[in-house]
Amino acid sequence: MDVPSNELLEKLKSDLLCAVAGLDRGVAARSEDISRVEATCSALESSAPALSEPQLADLLNGKWRLLYTSAFAGPVSVEGVIRGGSVGRLPGPVSVQQVYQQIDSSKPQLDNIVQAAISVFPFPPAEATIYLEHALEIIPPRTVKVTQTGAKVELPEPLPQLEAPQTVAAPGPSNLRSTTFEVTYVDSKVRITRGDRGELRIYCK
């Protein structure tokens, strides 16, 4: 396979970032937006250079911000419970602000980090950070397996009428807490993954 030029990769990445701009991680995506994002991702994925396992692990490390997920676009899915509103709504007085993924391949660990605003009348809104903690396993050439190990909630100050455990161990056997995804494209700034349930996710640093 011919090695794609840096100019081509930069153009495809620019096209992808333009395609997801303003879509609120997929919540605001219309059918034509979904098709455009899918086509642009496919073009970039087909140009992805080969990576060794150490190269993949090194590129995965760091804090990634979620730009788009197909789970938030189109018909409501299980993960799409966060759909609705300008930033997404969870059941109850919680709204999602940002979603990140923190990866450290040396531990190895992957944390999904959700920054949320909590409103409990008559108290002023407060911000909370939810950590969904996972053990990480890289399976060559580009598969990543994650197994949830626990969850943690950080509140800036105690909120009356709101009780949440600070740390919770993940219940159930590990095979029911595990999922895999393919890293179909990654460099130092952009990452595309496709999960075992077909979900497309796009991240940036």
Side-chain angles (χ1 to χ4, degrees):
M1 183 179 70
D2 293 336
V3 177
S5 67
N6 289 334
E7 291 80 5
L8 173 60
L9 290 177
E10 291 302 317
K11 166 88 169 46
L12 293 172
K13 286 194 295 180
S14 177
D15 290 345
L16 180 58
L17 295 178
C18 288
V20 300
L23 298 184
D24 190 18
R25 291 158 294 169
V27 173
R30 300 165 298 179
S31 59
E32 56 266 35
D33 298 316
I34 296 171
S35 297
R36 181 186 178 197
V37 171
E38 179 64 41
T40 310
C41 279
S42 296
L44 190 53
E45 290 166 329
S46 66
S47 300
L51 296 172
S52 66
E53 183 177 351
Q55 287 175 319
L56 176 60
D58 184 60
L59 287 171
L60 287 175
N61 288 330
K63 188 174 184 177
W64 297 87
R65 180 167 63 92
L66 180 67
L67 293 180
Y68 176 91
T69 169
S70 60
F72 290 179
V76 175
S77 64
V78 173
E79 292 185 69
V81 70
I82 306 179
R83 290 168 52 83
S86 62
V87 293
R89 295 292 301 180
L90 285 170
V94 181
S95 61
V96 175
Q97 305 297 306
Q98 292 291 347
V99 180
Y100 296 93
Q101 210 169 66
Q102 179 78 48
I103 299 176
D104 186 342
S105 61
S106 67
K107 288 188 175 181
Q109 184 170 330
L110 180 152
D111 293 340
N112 287 320
I113 304 169
V114 180
Q115 294 180 342
I118 302 175
S119 300
V120 180
F121 182 82
F123 305 101
E127 294 185 356
T129 304
I130 304 166
Y131 296 85
L132 303 176
E133 302 167 341
H134 300 78
L136 170 73
E137 179 185 0
I138 297 176
I139 305 171
R142 287 178 173 266
T143 300
V144 174
K145 179 181 179 181
V146 293
T147 303
Q148 188 174 2
T149 56
K152 178 173 66 175
V153 178
E154 289 186 355
L155 299 173
E157 58 185 33
L159 290 177
Q161 301 181 15
L162 179 65
E163 297 182 3
Q166 294 299 300
T167 57
V168 182
S174 61
N175 64 307
L176 297 180
R177 293 183 278 110
S178 298
T179 187
T180 62
F181 59 83
E182 296 291 320
V183 183
T184 55
Y185 181 88
V186 63
D187 62 21
S188 61
K189 296 296 182 183
V190 173
R191 175 163 60 97
I192 303 173
T193 67
R194 294 186 182 267
D196 54 9
R197 298 177 181 87
E199 67 276 15
L200 166 67
R201 291 189 175 97
I202 303 167
Y203 298 86
C204 75
K205 282 186 179 177

